[in-house]
Amino acid sequence: MYQYNEQDQTLINARVEQYRDQTRRFLAGEIPDEEFRGLRLMNGLYIQRQAPMLRIAVPYGLMNSVQVRKLADITRKYDKNYAHFTTRTNVQLNWPKLEEVPDILAELAEVQMHAIQTSGNCLRNTTTDHFAGIIPDEIEDPRPWCEIIRQWTTLHPEFAYLPRKFKIAVTGGPEDRAASQVHDIGLHMVKNAAGEVGFEVLVGGGLGRTPVIGKLIREFLPKRDLLTYLEAILRVYNLNGRRDNKYKARIKILVNALGIEEFSKRVEAEWEIIRSTELALTDDYIAKIQGYFEPHPYAADAVDGLSVLENQLDDNAEFRAWYERNTREHKIAGYRAVVISLKPHLKPPGDITDVQLDAVADLADTFNFGEIRSTHDQNLVFAHVAAGDLYTLWQSLRDLNLARANVGTLTDMIVCPGYDFCSLANAHTLGVAEQINEKFDDLDYLYDIGDIKLNMSGCINACAHHHVAHIGILGVDKGGEDYYQITLGGSSREDASLGKIIGKSVPQADVADTVEKILQVYVESRLEDERFIETVRRIGVAPFKERVYATVN
Amino acid sequence: MPLLINRAVVDDSWLLVDEDNLTAHINEDIVVPYELFAQHLEQLVNAEGKLGVRINGDQALELLLQHLDALSLVAIEFPAFTDGRGFSFARMLRRAGFAGQIRAEGDVTRDRLDHMQRCGFDAFAIPDERYSDAILSAFDEVPVHYQGSADDERPIFRQ
C-alpha cells in the first residue's frame, strides 16, 4: 500500500497543528460558531445528538495492521472502546471530546492517517472496489489511481468551498462493488479499441433526496489526462453549481438542469485549456505510485493447502457455510479473499470494538500480509488468505464474534446510525435492524433467500444508500412516530437502478413482518436460481405491494 | 478595513466609485462595480487612470477576461465564506496572464487566506473585527502542496 514520504508526513503534521490552532481560537471565541463549523467539518468533526462525532479517513478502504491497532488504542483512550465503519469506507468515533480532537489527529498522523475532508462541502474520500487487485477479470488495479486522486484532492486550494460535498469512486473492471454510478463522478477502468487502458467517466450520480444514476460524459479518457479532466469538471461545478439551496447544490442537479450535452460541452471547453498544463500526469509519477501496489509475496506452495481445506470443509458444516458465504475467489491459485462480517447478531452494523480491532490487526499480520480493507457495505476484508489458513482464521474470527456467515444475505445490511446518534436523522434505525435480525436469525432461511441487499437510512440524506438496495428502508417521522418507507428493486452494482416505493410507510413494529411478506412473494414467484433482484425486475413491484397492503380479514 | 498586501497592512490608494461620482473621477485610479463596467465599457477602458473592477460569482468573468489589458485590479467579492466561486475566478484570471492586483473582499477571514493566495489573490480586505496581527501567520501553515498554484503551477509530481 502507499507509504507516506517526508512531504506527505509534513503535510499531515502541519494540518494537525493548523487544526489545533483553529480549535484553540474557536474555544477562545475568536472564530464564530458558523465559521468553525465549516472548519471542523472539513476535518471530519460533527456535533451530533449526544456528542461530537469524528470521521477518520480510510483512503480507498485500505489500512495496515499498525493503523488498525492505533484505531483500537484511540477508541480506548478517547472514546468508548468501539468504532463504526461507514459506506465511504471511513471509520467514525461517536464520543470524542472537541478539545481532544487535535490530540487524536496527532496520534493518527503518527500512523499516516487523518480526518481531512471526511465531511464538509469539499472533495471527499475516494472509494473503490474492496476486491481491487485480486479479481481475475480486473482490467487494472484501481488503487494507484485512487491514490493519485487522493493527493490531488487533499487540501485543494480552489475546491475547498464547493456548492456541496463531492464524491468520486473508481472501479478496475466490469464489476462494480463501489456504487460508482451513484457518485458525483464514477470512473471505470476500460480498454479502448486500440487496447489502451483508460477511464470511462460518469458524472452527476448521487443519492440523498433526489437519487440519480450518473450519466456518461466520456467514453474513454487517457490515463495522463485524469487529473486535468477531473479539474475541468470540478471547475465547471464550482462556478455553476447552485449555492442558494443545499438540496439542489449537488452536481447531479446541475447536470440535469443543463443537460448532459451542455454540461459536457462546458467541461470539454475548460479541459481544452488545461489539458496540456503541468497537471497532466507523467509516466514517472504513475509508475511510482503503481509501485506501491505491487502484488504481495504470495507463497508458491499455497495451493498445497487446497486439499487440507477440502477435508476441513467436508468435516465442518459451520465452516463450510462461512466459506461459501464469506470468502471469494482470488486470482492467485491457493488464495481466497475473506469478508469479515461486521454484522453480528443484534449488534449495530459496522461497529467494531477495540478488542476486535486489535485482534483483527494481529490476524492480518499472521494471515494477510498485515493488510485490512474496509468495504462500502460496512464489513472488513482480508484479501489474501492462503487456503490452508482459512480454517484457523475462521476459528479465531468465530471466537471474536466476527465470523457470522451472512455476507451478501439479508442480515448483511447497510445501516446508518440513525436517530440514536445522528442529529439529521428523523427515525431510529438500530432498533429496526435488531428487529430484522431477530426475525431472520435462521441461517438456512437466509441461505435459501440467497443474495439480497437490504439497506436502511434514518433520513432522506440516504447515508445507507437505501435507494440502491434490493430492499430499501427509509425512516420517516410521522407526527412524532417512526415510520418506514419501503423501496424495491434498487441496485448499486454495474446494473445500477433506483428502487421503487411500494406504498405508504409502515409503523416501526411492522418492518420485519413487512420484509417477511416481501420475501414470501419472492419465494413463491422465483424461477429456478433466480435472485431476489431478478424476480423483482421480472414481475415488478405490484405483487409485493398487493401482499404487503392486503387487508387482514 | 485593513488591506493586506504582501503580508503587510497598506493604505488603499484606490477609490471605489458608483454611478453618481463616476464622471467626476473617471480619470483617476478607480474601482467600479461590474454593472458600471459593463455599462460604460468603452469610456472606462479608454480613461486615463488605472482601472479596477469589482465582481462577484453571479457575474460574468468572461467580460473581464476580454478586457484584461485595460485592468489593473480585480476585486472579487465573497458574499459568504462558504462561497468558493472566487477561488476559481482568481485562478482563471492568473492563468489568462493577468498580472494586476486580485483583491479578496467581503467575508474574508484568516482561515481562507492561504488558499486564496495560492489561487492568485495578492490583496485581502479584512473586516476590522476579524483582523489582528496574528493573521499574518495564516500563510504557509501547511508548507507542502499537492497541487500547483498561481505562483507555482507544478503539482507535487513535477516539483
Side-chain angles (χ1 to χ4, degrees), chain A residues 35-73:
Chain A
E35 199 174 311
F36 184 65
R37 180 175 175 275
L39 297 175
R40 66 173 161 76
L41 285 178
M42 259 188 263
N43 228 337
L45 187 67
Y46 287 73
I47 304 295
Q48 293 284 50
R49 204 171 284 284
Q50 315 197 35
M53 180 271 278
L54 179 67
R55 185 181 293 147
I56 298 162
V58 181
Y60 38 96
L62 194 57
M63 293 170 285
N64 60 37
S65 54
V66 176
Q67 293 173 324
V68 169
R69 266 185 215 104
K70 175 59 89 176
L71 289 175
D73 207 36

Side-chain angles (χ1 to χ4, degrees), chain A residues 77-97:
Chain A
K77 207 159 150 190
Y78 301 96
D79 207 276
K80 297 191 178 181
N81 301 70
Y82 74 97
H84 173 79
F85 281 95
T86 78
T87 54
R88 256 225 95 64
T89 69
N90 290 323
V91 62
Q92 293 180 177
L93 303 178
N94 278 319
W95 308 94
K97 294 189 183 67

Side-chain angles (χ1 to χ4, degrees), chain A residues 274-295:
Chain A
I274 62 173
R275 188 177 178 181
S276 302
T277 59
E278 308 255 32
L279 188 56
L281 292 168
T282 62
D283 291 343
D284 281 354
Y285 178 57
I286 296 170
K288 188 180 125 193
I289 299 296
Q290 282 175 329
Y292 288 104
F293 298 89
E294 290 293 317

Side-chain angles (χ1 to χ4, degrees), chain A residues 7-8 10-11 14-15 18 21-22 25 30-32 34-35 39 150-161 227 235 238-239 243 270 273-274 277-282 285, chain B residues 57 81-89 91-92 95 107 109-112 114-116 118-119 130 137-138 141-149 152-159:
Chain A
Q7 286 176 307
D8 300 311
T10 302
L11 182 147
R15 180 68 182 111
Q18 185 181 45
D21 189 53
Q22 288 169 348
R25 285 186 282 124
E30 295 171 28
I31 306 180
E34 186 53 25
E35 199 174 311
L39 297 175
R150 183 194 73 80
Q151 298 192 5
W152 168 73
T153 55
T154 301
L155 305 186
H156 197 301
E158 185 180 343
F159 304 133
Y161 295 89
L227 295 186
R235 192 163 291 135
N238 190 39
L239 289 171
R243 290 175 184 271
E270 173 61 25
I273 299 171
I274 62 173
T277 59
E278 308 255 32
L279 188 56
L281 292 168
T282 62
Y285 178 57
Chain B
F81 76 89
T82 50
D83 189 334
R85 290 175 292 187
F87 294 95
S88 288
F89 273 17
R91 197 94 172 86
M92 293 163 83
R95 85 170 179 212
D107 197 343
T109 52
R110 178 198 159 119
D111 293 289
R112 275 148 297 280
D114 188 61
H115 279 3
M116 285 175 174
R118 291 185 58 206
C119 287
R130 298 302 302 277
S137 56
E141 282 179 324
V142 179
V144 175
H145 303 148
Y146 286 125
Q147 311 78 10
S149 60
D152 181 357
E153 285 290 338
R154 295 171 307 158
I156 192 104
F157 51 89
R158 291 181 193 265
Q159 288 166 19

